[in-house]
Amino acid sequence: MTANGKKDPLWFKDAIFYELSVRSFYDSNSDGIGDFPGLIQKLDYLEDLGVNALWLLPFYPSPLKDDGFDITEYCDIHPDYGTLKDFKLFLKEAHQRGIRVVTELILNHTSDQHPWFEKSRRARAGSRYKDYYVWSETTEKFKEARVIFSDEESSNWSWDNEAKAYYWHRFYRHQPELNFENPEVQHEIIKVVDFWLKLGVDGFRLSSVAFLFEKEGTSCENLPETHVFLKKLRAHIDKHYEDKILIAEANLWPEDAAAYFGKGEECHMSFNYPLMPRLFLGLRTEDTYPIIDIMEQTPGTAPNTQWALFLRNHDEIGLEMVTEEEKDYLFKAYANDPHTKHNLGIRRRLSPLLNNDRRKMELLYTILFSLPGTPVLYYGDEIGMGDNIYLGDRFGVRTPMQWNMSLNAGFSDANPQKLYLPIITDPVYRYESVNVATHEENPSSLVWWIKNVLAMRSRLNVFGRGDMKFIDSSNAKVLCFVRSYESQRIIVVANLSQFSQATTLNFSGFNDCDITEVFSQNKFKSVEGEEYAITIGPYGYFWFQADASEKKEEAIGSSELQLFKTEVSWEKVFANYHEVRVFERKILQPFMKKCRWFGGKAKIISKMGIHKVIPLRVEGDTYFLTVIEVHYVQRLPDLFPPTPFLIKWSTPRKV
Ligand code: GLC
Ligand code: CA
């Protein structure tokens, strides 16, 4: 739903995603493993951070040999994480806070302990379950397919003694590939999709989607059959549901990754894998070229689609999509300890990759929040969490979330030895100092910085919806582009260098514009002529709002309070936590920002809510005298309005 209660199929364009694993987030029953009841308790934190969509890593029954990407039952919850009932409650609580929930659809493979595989390996040729998986008598088939988990596996075929045949797998040997040539397998997956969508899930990340089909003489990736299946899946979803999305995990070159959008009739989103390592490359080489070059190679996509942008996730930084030269450079620059290498990539969290340099983190986040696409944050990176490169596989970036300085970083009350993975105790990143509570207490912390930028970004829908054009900069260390949407134009300037830089930007499109720096609301010099000279500090960045001079006094819009519909009896609305939050978010905040008397518009708002309500009876009608409290970044809060106003409540008449 949008703020005014309407459905919006393009909601994902304005979303801020947060990727998390239920088992890493918060343990409610002291068994050392995070769970759904625990996650529910932390939803307020996520809402406050400013994210409005969650991407949950797998939480299904599984032997957890690939952290849950090895499923034994598609339509249930792993008992460590709770029950289906807990999941439903979680979904309801998230939705009440305006947070959507996207889950993993692991359609490419199952665990070798899945009942389908157990049946398949025993089935006779021609019987029902045999063709659920891909079997062969030799390992000679599909020779051109690369081995992805090259550190652990040497072949895509493994021998099964029971079946007396080889089975096909692109990842670990315990993850046999489902056979998508078999219509029954496709049907099973659609049943899984129906199960979760009917529960109210808002969409899926289609993991390993590039590998669904195999064909002799090809790389067995990205085959046309995969796109045919995706169109079918999308048509099914569009026919039966509203506002649901599909996100492709396809680590490919821009053209191929964009193919997962189809013409707008396949996936709604696709992760921008080629861009991500080039942000790190650009930063380290202090050169905008890798970023501009990859963006220019990225094709335009249908209006109902959007790239998902990320800096880090639960996997290694895969370097498949860079040249050999770039790979060598990235390994040298970011992975000089061999423990940080994994398969063809680098297994590190954001902060250790950037030497815990706050300026670099801010810079990369600013670029991430500014480029065309929907940003996806990885849990823990908002507090600059560290990693543990000695844990094996990718576990080093999957350790428990650090909430406070108490036992187990406040993640769990269990015996520390019982935790599913140890807490980070590295001297630089130790949980006693790197945790949510310390960050929240310090208004200069990274968490506060992220909250502020996200709050500002949500006021400028140009970033989620607008188009983008690079602006020439005379200095190759300074990146500059403009985002435009309707009448909004934001110019983004970012200095990739560790030193201050001077540059001249080509502002020919902004003749006579006034330039306002978005965060401070400070006026910079107006544009006269084509050239705009600026200086910018080390790893500095600007968001400049460009307004045509005559449009300076933009219409503020109507300040009418919208109708608020609720199931709760109106007398009890203000006593109901959820209703108050929904009212604040959907009605109050947009309303306040439009009011002429609201002087806080120029300051960075961190939080806005109802401070006090006093019921009043006036001439037989009930009113609520409502005082609003607005918190700002590093400034004292204000109470609004300066003169109290009355909100009139009425009960709808029964028809
Ligand atoms: C996806 C996941 C990764 C997993 C792989 C194989 O790529 O992101 O974590 O290991 O699938 O299951
Ligand atoms: Ca638990």
Side-chain angles (χ1 to χ4, degrees), residues 99-122:
I99 298 178
R100 314 253 184 173
V101 177
V102 167
T103 59
E104 284 283 341
L105 182 65
I106 304 154
L107 68 179
N108 179 63
H109 48 264
T110 68
S111 159
D112 58 0
Q113 296 174 34
H114 194 290
W116 295 341
F117 190 70
E118 295 289 356
K119 287 181 194 156
S120 184
R121 72 204 317 185
R122 293 194 184 102

Side-chain angles (χ1 to χ4, degrees), residues 118-137 162-165 179 182:
E118 295 289 356
K119 287 181 194 156
S120 184
R121 72 204 317 185
R122 293 194 184 102
R124 269 179 288 116
S127 60
R128 180 171 173 214
Y129 284 99
K130 191 88 234 166
D131 285 345
Y132 266 48
Y133 295 85
V134 183
W135 295 101
S136 164
E137 275 157 26
E162 189 93 39
K164 301 275 181 274
N179 174 17
N182 180 351

